[in-house]
Amino acid sequence: MAKPQPQAGDHLSSPDGGWGWVVVGALFMASALVFGLLRSLGVFFVEFVQYFDKSAQAVSWITSIAVAIQQLMSPVGTALCNAYGARPVVMTGGFLSGLGLVLASQATSLTHLYLTMGLITGSGWALVFAPTVASVLQYFTHRRSLAMALGFTGVGLSSFAFSPLFQLLVKLYAWRGALLILGGLSFNMMVCGALIRPLPAPKALEQIGIDKEKKKASFSSFFKRAFIYLELPLMGERAFLTYALAITLFNCGYFVPYVHLVAHSRHVGFSEYQAAFIISATGVTDLVGRVVSGWVSDLGRLRLLHVLSLWTGLTGLFMVLLPVGSVEGSYAGLLAISLVYGFCSGAMSPLVFSAVPEIVGMQRMLGALGLLQLIESFGGLLGAPLSGWLKDQTGSYMASFLVAGGFIMAGTLVLAALPNFWSCSPPPAPMKQSHSQDKSPECGLQYNAILSPSPSETQHRTGLTPPSQRSLQDLQNCQPDPQLSLLTTPTADDDTDHPKVL
């Protein structure tokens, strides 16, 4: 079958560049306004404890609910991204993010903050983060790790700028006025969504997809397609479940310093601006760590999982040492350990996503990303409240940081249980194909879920060229593999005189 050609006027960006760098800029802004803001909410933690006269554990649930909802709803974000495209999904998420913070500025109780900052804003972050990451994957192949690292540098820069900015806003306008301003900033994520321009699918393939949709428009096919998009068969694979458990343990401890480090600094006697500056300085080294990590991982000198284990182990170690640095009121000691911790945690973050293809294969990356965030949400929901409870029981934050660092080091040990982890070379790419393997992750955003084959259509594919060996031209045009277009198989619901194209 001849390969359909794009219509006149369709412009296909080159892999690893073109408009993709604008999409990286959108990821930079989105990550800054999601995780940069999330990391700096510790400034409001002290204000909420004093204003509502509640325990540290109760106030910690605000951040934990927001983190958990952001990760719990990620599969919904990726599914909507496949169905409608990334642009409308991200713009909707940006609106919900700002709306939640604006409503939170009128809160009269912690329950109100749970529903606004936790539920509404967290849902908006879920619709922004995963689709924006997927959009970067759409434009990059060989330089994917570097593009992801550059996009995530927004987290480090915003951590440096937001913490003292929020402290100043709280001082000038109180916490209600500060949240109102943050809501206005979050609405800018709608602009980030508008910048996402999916590569156009050829018109001939779009028509094929529309015809298939008309045939499959039934109630049962809805669940079948949901099963396909979410990559639920991954839940039965040992490698994916082991990796998901490790990331969940990381998530139990990762956000604890960003929630309680400011409060710990104030508790040991440092001023509010000294405490805010620690988070800012940590954000700078976080930024450097992300860029270094992305560059080193693209060199391919060491296995990605080994590098990830190194950074996670160091992150857990220096998190345990954080309260030790402030012994006897040493601000310089606390600052030094925070700087090293920020570098290690920043280096760790992009590798968590970059290592997923080595676990499940590139063809299942999008579904695995959504499921991974869903599973790790339980760790995010547990971490901060547990550390707040430990502070209430012990009277200091030392036990909180010790337990949080222990979670991350335990996750490092779980990584070592992955199949072939101790091998010096990566194992062969997983050959098991999911039901949606007619198209690459990059194509998933462009086809908008119109070319998902049924389970019966994925049989008899042994011997095909692996996805990694497809030609550059196929990737540019986002076409199915040329070998797939030569295969036909009759199906029960089609006319036997007309074989169905895979």
Side-chain angles (χ1 to χ4, degrees):
M1 186 177 77
K3 187 181 297 182
Q5 298 297 323
Q7 299 293 320
D10 285 347
H11 178 70
L12 294 176
S13 299
S14 300
D16 297 292
W19 190 261
W21 293 115
V22 178
V23 181
V24 170
L27 177 59
F28 175 89
M29 291 297 299
S31 63
L33 292 172
V34 173
F35 290 103
L37 190 150
L38 188 61
R39 287 182 171 194
S40 303
L41 288 181
V43 173
F44 293 94
F45 178 86
V46 178
E47 302 296 326
F48 292 154
V49 169
Q50 295 175 352
Y51 183 87
F52 294 104
D53 193 23
K54 299 293 184 179
S55 66
Q57 179 186 7
V59 175
S60 297
W61 277 102
I62 300 172
T63 303
S64 292
I65 291 174
V67 172
I69 292 296
Q70 182 269 319
Q71 295 171 338
L72 189 67
M73 296 290 289
S74 286
V76 177
T78 55
L80 291 175
C81 184
N82 279 328
Y84 302 106
R87 178 181 290 173
V89 175
V90 175
M91 293 181 71
T92 301
F95 175 76
L96 290 177
S97 301
L99 178 64
L101 292 171
V102 170
L103 294 177
S105 68
Q106 308 302 315
T108 57
S109 66
L110 283 184
T111 302
H112 192 166
L113 291 176
Y114 295 158
L115 295 176
T116 53
M117 292 183 67
L119 182 60
I120 299 177
T121 298
S123 298
W125 290 342
L127 297 182
V128 168
F129 178 70
T132 307
V133 170
S135 297
V136 173
L137 298 178
Q138 178 187 13
Y139 278 90
F140 290 89
T141 51
H142 301 295
R143 290 186 285 181
R144 179 173 287 132
S145 294
L146 180 60
M148 292 284 290
L150 291 176
F152 282 128
T153 56
V155 180
L157 283 177
S158 59
S159 297
F160 173 76
F162 281 178
S163 188
L165 173 62
F166 293 175
Q167 191 68 62
L168 177 62
L169 291 176
V170 169
K171 185 175 182 178
L172 294 177
Y173 306 108
W175 65 266
R176 295 186 185 275
L179 286 179
L180 191 62
I181 294 173
L182 296 189
L185 287 175
S186 295
F187 283 129
N188 285 286
M189 282 188 280
M190 299 176 66
V191 179
C192 297
L195 291 174
I196 297 176
R197 186 173 66 188
L199 298 175
K203 300 296 187 293
L205 293 180
E206 290 180 356
Q207 186 60 46
I208 292 174
I210 294 172
D211 293 340
K212 291 188 68 175
E213 283 297 302
K214 292 179 179 178
K215 292 180 180 180
K216 298 172 65 177
S218 65
F219 186 76
S220 61
S221 69
F222 170 80
F223 293 99
K224 182 187 297 184
R225 291 166 66 78
F227 184 85
I228 292 171
Y229 287 138
L230 295 176
E231 292 285 3
L232 293 181
L234 286 171
M235 299 299 294
E237 297 184 8
R238 175 197 165 192
F240 176 76
L241 290 178
T242 302
Y243 189 71
L245 175 60
I247 302 304
T248 301
L249 290 172
F250 295 157
N251 216 35
C252 285
Y254 182 80
F255 289 100
V256 168
Y258 299 106
V259 177
H260 290 148
L261 186 54
V262 171
H264 168 71
S265 302
R266 298 279 297 275
H267 180 76
V268 295
F270 301 129
S271 70
E272 57 186 23
Y273 283 103
Q274 284 180 314
F277 180 75
I278 289 179
I279 293 294
S280 298
T282 302
V284 173
T285 55
D286 178 285
L287 184 152
V288 176
R290 289 172 188 270
V291 176
V292 171
S293 174
W295 176 71
V296 170
S297 64
D298 278 342
L299 293 178
R301 303 292 178 84
L302 297 173
R303 281 192 64 188
L304 201 57
L305 287 175
H306 294 167
V307 179
L308 175 61
S309 297
L310 172 65
W311 291 124
T312 55
L314 290 175
T315 300
L317 174 63
F318 284 104
M319 186 180 294
V320 168
L321 294 177
L322 276 174
V324 178
S326 59
V327 172
E328 298 181 357
S330 174
Y331 183 76
L334 178 61
L335 180 61
I337 295 178
S338 298
L339 291 175
V340 181
Y341 163 77
F343 182 89
C344 296
S345 64
M348 157 192 165
S349 300
L351 298 188
V352 167
F353 299 103
S354 299
V356 173
E358 187 172 325
I359 306 297
V360 302
M362 183 57 67
Q363 295 298 308
R364 308 171 81 177
M365 172 67 175
L366 288 177
L369 178 62
L371 286 177
L372 186 63
Q373 293 239 301
L374 170 66
I375 295 172
E376 69 175 343
S377 65
F378 297 102
L381 189 63
L382 171 66
L386 175 61
S387 63
W389 179 81
L390 289 172
K391 190 272 177 183
D392 293 335
Q393 298 299 311
T394 62
S396 73
Y397 289 95
M398 179 170 290
S400 301
F401 288 110
L402 292 176
V403 173
F407 276 125
I408 293 182
M409 287 190 282
T412 304
L413 296 178
V414 172
L415 279 180
L418 283 167
N420 301 307
F421 177 84
W422 299 104
S423 173
C424 294
S425 58
M431 296 300 296
K432 184 177 179 180
Q433 302 292 319
S434 70
H435 301 314
S436 58
Q437 295 313 305
D438 288 55
K439 57 183 185 296
S440 67
E442 292 84 354
C443 295
L445 299 178
Q446 301 168 35
Y447 285 99
N448 294 336
I450 59 176
L451 292 179
S452 296
S454 63
S456 64
E457 295 174 340
T458 59
Q459 299 175 357
H460 311 300
R461 294 194 181 180
T462 56
L464 297 181
T465 303
S468 60
Q469 300 179 13
R470 294 175 178 174
S471 66
L472 178 61
Q473 185 63 40
D474 292 332
L475 288 174
Q476 289 177 319
N477 292 333
C478 205
Q479 307 277 353
D481 192 292
Q483 299 185 41
L484 297 181
S485 61
L486 300 177
L487 298 180
T488 60
T489 182
T491 58
D493 56 348
D494 287 339
D495 191 337
T496 55
D497 295 332
H498 296 83
K500 191 171 185 177
V501 178
L502 291 179

